[in-house]
Amino acid sequence: MMIKQAEFLISAVKPSQYPDLGFNEVAFVGRSNVGKSSLINTLTNRRKLVKVSGTPGKTRLINFFLINGKYCFVDLPGYGYAKVSKVEKQKWGKMIEDYLIKRDNLKKVVLLLDIRHKPTQDDIQMYEWIKYYGYEIIIVATKKDKLSNNQIAKSDKVIRQTLKLDKDEKIIHFSSLKKQGKEELLEAIFKNLD
């Protein structure tokens, strides 16, 4: 499936602000600075659809994007950023939780992990949480271009052990810089999404 059209719809902080289009949604979640904005821009072939920042923790709202006129991509705030106050972190946590629990349109969640680092406690919690609520989960290891194939294999092992992944759970390796993993991820996103 190719993305031919992508446009920003709305930013929201609470359920009453979510768009009411009835379209199936795919949410993107991950630690601050994991490359979420760059990944969405790469998937949609739009360099500036999502603002990319050098400062982690910039996404503070839930951003909805209309894709091909019939789906929505949902960019959730990054978690685990240390330089944010405890109160702010709790607010983000509540915002993410409300969306994940109360959104009937949500069909799949793309969990982004930085391939260079062992998944954090926040990553483990998010993975378990998504599984608990029964959403289809797509695991993406970003920044693939930063490692050799040998290092990627080692990193995969660490991710699998840390998250206790089943053998049949796939990890998609992705590089926004080199546009690697794009087709595989698009295929996973749009498979049975209708």
Side-chain angles (χ1 to χ4, degrees):
M1 164 79 91
M2 271 188 60
I3 294 178
K4 294 183 175 135
Q5 179 206 10
E7 60 184 273
F8 172 74
L9 275 177
I10 194 168
S11 293
V13 292
K14 55 187 183 208
S16 61
Q17 299 170 328
Y18 301 164
D20 190 16
L21 298 169
F23 295 149
N24 286 343
E25 294 174 359
V26 177
F28 294 79
V29 69
R31 265 195 340 261
S32 294
N33 211 17
V34 75
K36 201 157 36 74
S37 303
S38 299
L39 178 134
I40 295 171
N41 286 341
T42 300
L43 291 180
T44 58
N45 297 311
R46 296 272 305 275
R47 280 198 15 240
K48 294 182 180 169
L49 181 69
V50 186
K51 288 189 184 92
V52 178
S53 167
T55 314
K58 272 293 188 204
T59 306
R60 293 173 182 226
L61 305 165
I62 298 174
N63 294 309
F64 291 82
F65 301 91
L66 181 61
I67 305 297
N68 288 350
K70 62 180 211 165
Y71 306 105
C72 282
F73 280 2
V74 184
D75 183 15
L76 297 172
Y79 53 78
Y81 184 52
K83 288 188 182 169
V84 175
S85 73
K86 209 168 186 175
V87 174
E88 191 73 16
K89 272 189 195 169
Q90 285 170 339
K91 257 199 286 189
W92 289 359
K94 174 92 173 82
M95 197 192 315
I96 294 169
E97 196 174 322
D98 279 351
Y99 171 77
L100 291 171
I101 292 174
K102 298 175 181 173
R103 192 61 171 166
D104 292 338
N105 304 45
L106 179 60
K107 302 301 172 199
K108 299 183 182 190
V109 180
V110 180
L111 175 63
L112 279 67
L113 305 167
D114 187 325
I115 199 163
R116 301 168 300 174
H117 305 294
K118 180 180 177 179
T120 64
Q121 197 53 49
D122 286 333
D123 292 324
I124 296 166
Q125 200 176 345
M126 183 56 73
Y127 172 78
E128 288 173 350
W129 206 90
I130 296 163
K131 294 291 268 189
Y132 176 81
Y133 282 98
Y135 294 113
E136 185 179 331
I137 186 168
I138 301 168
I139 299 166
V140 177
T142 62
K143 309 189 184 188
K144 173 191 177 184
D145 53 281
K146 308 273 191 218
L147 298 183
S148 68
N149 286 343
N150 215 8
Q151 290 170 313
I152 288 170
K154 283 181 189 162
S155 183
D156 261 13
K157 200 173 173 186
V158 170
I159 291 170
R160 287 194 167 282
Q161 287 172 343
T162 308
L163 295 182
K164 299 181 176 77
L165 298 184
D166 296 333
K167 279 191 170 59
D168 58 344
E169 283 186 275
K170 258 172 78 170
I171 299 170
I172 297 174
H173 303 121
F174 196 91
S175 165
S176 295
L177 192 69
K178 298 190 173 174
K179 302 198 177 356
Q180 293 169 320
K182 181 180 170 183
E183 277 72 31
E184 191 183 356
L185 180 51
L186 285 170
E187 193 179 312
I189 288 170
F190 289 111
K191 188 181 179 185
N192 305 324
L193 190 57
D194 286 316

